[in-house]
Amino acid sequence: MEKGQGLSKRTKASLLAIFIFIPCFLYLGVTVFDDRKYLFIGLLILFTTMVPFFLIFEQRLPKARELMLIAGLTAIGVAGRMAFFWLPQFKPVIAVTIVAGVTLGPETGFLVGAMIGFVSNFYFGQGPWTPWQMFSFGLIGFLGGLLFQQCKVKANKYTLSIYGFLSCFAIFGLIMNPVSIITFYNSFTWPMILASYVQGFYFDLVQGVATVFFLFFFGEPMMEKIERVKVKYGFYKEDDWDNWDWED
């Protein structure tokens, strides 16, 4: 997005979906459905996420290979989360979500993150935490796409790693730590919420270290491969994605 231009239609739709509709769905799941309709809320989140995503293709229909690339990234995130099941919180999920947002745009980053959370929990276990995980993963991918594409922050292994590490605390931990209190207790106090952040600090730290590891060593190679695929098959608009410098 060039200076002087307003937000695009799809970015406005994304902001409306992510910061208005999806929080309303989460609130609905906790209050009205008493955390018993988490799969329904998860599907609502996915459906809402797909609306701004498909606005990318407002001038044409998406090609099958474009959707295959997104499905492939989702599969990598799901498989990576399953492969490291024996290391709690040491997962590549956030790294893959950030890569999706940086290379394919914020809308795709949110979609990939939400899909990874939804699909992988069929293995790890669905529960009232699922919609919150979907929202947290997706938000990291969305904000990463905005930061490195529209705000033109140079993307390299250092900046990606810094964003990934901070997002584990400032986004994922900020949202998910109190969820363990909100979803499992009928009433809660602020000291209980504070205790959840203290207890969750170690897990956020492990997840942050894992995210730095995967982004530092595998982030740029993954993005370069995605770039080659996009150039080869002419994905999206050429000027939408030429927003980063691969030089360190």
Side-chain angles (χ1 to χ4, degrees):
M1 184 175 62
E2 299 296 334
K3 292 182 178 180
Q5 294 182 344
L7 294 175
S8 67
K9 182 190 299 184
R10 65 174 181 267
T11 302
K12 291 178 180 178
S14 298
L15 292 172
L16 184 65
I18 292 170
F19 295 105
I20 302 296
F21 286 110
I22 293 178
C24 287
F25 296 152
L26 294 172
Y27 179 78
L28 184 71
V30 173
T31 57
V32 177
F33 295 124
D34 196 26
D35 286 325
R36 289 176 294 184
K37 302 293 183 181
Y38 44 83
L39 289 178
F40 173 68
I41 298 299
L43 290 172
L44 275 180
I45 291 174
L46 288 180
F47 176 79
T48 306
T49 302
M50 288 178 182
V51 174
F53 167 74
F54 279 105
L55 284 176
I56 296 174
F57 308 99
E58 57 184 320
Q59 302 298 326
R60 62 176 178 83
L61 293 175
K63 299 176 183 177
R65 52 187 175 229
E66 293 170 335
L67 300 181
M68 285 297 295
L69 176 59
I70 295 165
L73 285 171
T74 302
I76 290 172
V78 172
R81 193 179 182 199
M82 294 171 63
F84 288 88
F85 75 95
W86 49 280
L87 288 174
Q89 300 302 112
F90 197 92
K91 306 290 190 293
V93 175
I94 290 179
V96 173
T97 302
I98 291 172
V99 167
V102 173
T103 55
L104 301 176
E107 297 81 15
T108 306
F110 192 97
L111 179 61
V112 168
M115 282 292 295
I116 291 174
F118 186 73
V119 175
S120 63
N121 273 3
F122 282 101
Y123 174 81
F124 285 96
Q126 298 286 354
W129 53 84
T130 296
W132 295 92
Q133 287 180 330
M134 293 170 62
F135 179 63
S136 301
F137 288 142
L139 187 59
I140 290 173
F142 179 79
L143 294 179
L146 288 180
L147 180 67
F148 290 102
Q149 283 198 356
Q150 297 197 5
C151 295
K152 306 298 179 70
V153 175
K154 184 171 71 171
N156 55 47
K157 58 187 177 183
Y158 302 106
T159 55
L160 290 171
S161 297
I162 292 171
Y163 172 71
F165 183 79
L166 294 177
S167 67
C168 291
F169 291 90
I171 301 176
F172 190 85
L174 183 67
I175 295 171
M176 291 305 302
N177 285 332
V179 166
S180 60
I181 303 296
I182 295 171
T183 58
F184 288 102
Y185 293 91
N186 292 327
S187 61
F188 58 88
T189 62
W190 289 112
M192 293 170 64
I193 298 294
L194 179 60
S196 72
Y197 285 112
V198 174
Q199 294 174 351
F201 177 82
Y202 168 76
F203 298 99
D204 295 337
L205 180 62
V206 173
Q207 185 163 245
V209 170
T211 301
V212 169
F213 173 80
F214 289 110
L215 285 174
F216 191 86
F217 291 104
F218 304 106
E220 285 188 350
M222 281 187 65
M223 289 192 290
E224 288 172 351
K225 287 179 173 58
I226 293 171
E227 257 318 277
R228 293 192 190 101
V229 172
K230 284 163 37 183
V231 171
K232 180 177 180 179
Y233 294 107
F235 287 179
Y236 310 115
K237 297 178 182 179
E238 182 178 353
D239 58 354
D240 280 345
W241 316 119
D242 189 21
N243 291 328
W244 56 82
D245 184 354
W246 298 106
E247 299 296 327
D248 285 343

